Amino acid sequence: LAHFLIVGGTRGLGRELLKSLARKGESVSVLGRSIPRDVDVYPSSVKCWTQTLESEDSIRETIAEISSTRGKFDSLVFCQRYRADGDPWLGEFDVSLTLTKRIIDASIGCFQDSVGKSIVIVSSVFANFVDYGQPLSYHVAKAGLEQLVRYYAVHLGHLGIRVNAVAPSAFIKDESKQFYSSNGELMEFYAKSVPLGRMGTAADASQVIEFLCSASAAFVTGQTIYVDGGASLVWPESMARKAKGI
Ligand SMILES: NC(=O)c1ccc[n+]([C@@H]2O[C@H](COP(=O)([O-])OP(=O)(O)OC[C@H]3O[C@@H](n4cnc5c(N)ncnc54)[C@H](OP(=O)(O)O)[C@@H]3O)[C@@H](O)[C@H]2O)c1
């Protein structure tokens, strides 16, 4: 069985991935500031680690501890994003970019000596497109992550470590189900405007992450896979006309 380390596996998409891997009996280590609220439902193949992850030294120690107690990793997945009340510019850069870089650097010697070593980073369609709701820092950090993916793909290729990203559009997760299900008009708009006729879910993105970690993606590296039901392919004006039936 494979060993996955999920950074930001305590909520949202990371927890969706955790649930799916746990169902399959994979070995999963979860890293976050807290532990998942449903921690008791997981089998013993799942172990959670809390860390403030503030300094490079503490990150190195935590990664070394996880790999020495649970075994080396096959896959490292980054699902974290900045969720705090501080300065979003500094916070997003710390949590998205610096933390990701430090964990990758600390993990290079902690991968299994096997084929199928993989790193997946969760980006967003807002690495390339602009949203009215998210701050500038989110857009710039995601764009930076996608270049970080390409850089590491080139530099870690000789070790057999593949590095890819997924870029989801807004998705429904356990924590936002209630919000979307009580907004019928918004969901109708998604049904009309997204080529695949619906809003995405955390499970849609989680399945693509699993694919990128699997042997089926053995020759894929440095790529960002959009998980948006085709929404980014449609010109906004054309979408507006279709929605209004003009
Ligand atoms: N939600 C969407 O619709 C959407 C759309 C496109 C892309 N994305 C991307 O998908 C990923 C997951 O999004 P989400 O909405 O599922 O996230 P979320 O529910 O807000 O969860 C964020 C995760 O990041 C962890 N985290 C935050 N600060 C951390 C830190 N300093 N160190 C370690 N872990 C930290 C949190 O764990 P703790 O609180 O335990 O630390 C939590 O597990 C993110 O990269 C996001 O940008 C989301």
Side-chain angles (χ1 to χ4, degrees), residues 112-229:
Q112 297 272 15
D113 192 16
S114 64
V115 285
K117 291 171 271 198
S118 174
I119 297 173
V120 178
I121 294 176
V122 180
S123 178
S124 157
V125 291
F126 302 137
N128 282 295
F129 297 89
V130 177
D131 182 47
Y132 286 112
Q134 298 289 344
L136 173 62
S137 52
Y138 185 76
H139 295 77
V140 178
K142 292 300 192 190
L145 280 176
E146 292 191 11
Q147 183 65 340
L148 181 149
V149 160
R150 289 183 282 268
Y151 181 93
Y152 276 119
V154 169
H155 286 268
L156 300 182
H158 71 286
L159 298 173
I161 301 176
R162 299 180 298 101
V163 190
N164 292 289
V166 295
S169 53
F171 52 72
I172 303 169
K173 52 185 181 178
D174 284 347
E175 296 84 350
S176 61
K177 257 183 197 148
Q178 177 67 32
F179 169 81
Y180 286 110
S181 61
S182 59
N183 275 279
E185 268 186 46
L186 183 60
M187 296 314 277
E188 268 173 45
F189 186 75
Y190 273 106
K192 279 190 194 154
S193 59
V194 177
L196 287 181
R198 65 174 174 83
M199 195 179 169
T201 63
D204 290 320
S206 156
Q207 282 161 29
V208 179
I209 295 172
E210 286 191 53
F211 162 72
L212 287 170
C213 291
S214 75
S216 303
F219 206 51
V220 180
T221 198
Q223 303 304 305
T224 297
I225 310 284
Y226 270 51
V227 188
D228 71 344

Side-chain angles (χ1 to χ4, degrees), residues 10-118:
T10 61
R11 287 186 281 128
L13 172 53
R15 196 166 63 96
E16 187 64 37
L17 177 64
L18 161 63
K19 287 194 284 186
S20 170
L21 295 170
R23 275 195 300 272
K24 292 172 184 154
E26 304 285 17
S27 169
V28 190
S29 299
V30 175
L31 194 52
R33 295 165 304 175
S34 61
I35 54 171
R37 60 178 152 79
D38 54 353
V39 65
D40 295 338
V41 306
Y42 299 106
S44 57
S45 54
V46 172
K47 180 141 173 37
C48 302
W49 308 76
T50 54
Q51 245 293 352
T52 53
L53 301 169
E54 268 155 14
S55 77
E56 212 163 347
D57 285 346
S58 72
I59 289 170
R60 227 179 283 115
E61 281 162 23
T62 302
I63 297 296
E65 192 187 327
I66 296 173
S67 103
S68 66
T69 54
R70 303 220 69 211
K72 293 191 165 192
F73 320 129
D74 296 275
S75 294
L76 176 52
V77 182
F78 292 92
C79 297
Q80 85 281 11
R81 69 156 298 186
Y82 178 62
R83 294 284 191 200
D85 296 327
D87 177 339
W89 183 261
L90 298 176
E92 196 73 70
F93 277 57
D94 277 353
V95 174
S96 289
L97 289 168
T98 309
L99 186 59
T100 301
K101 178 201 174 293
R102 286 180 172 170
I103 292 178
I104 290 176
D105 289 348
S107 300
I108 288 168
C110 300
F111 276 91
Q112 297 272 15
D113 192 16
S114 64
V115 285
K117 291 171 271 198
S118 174

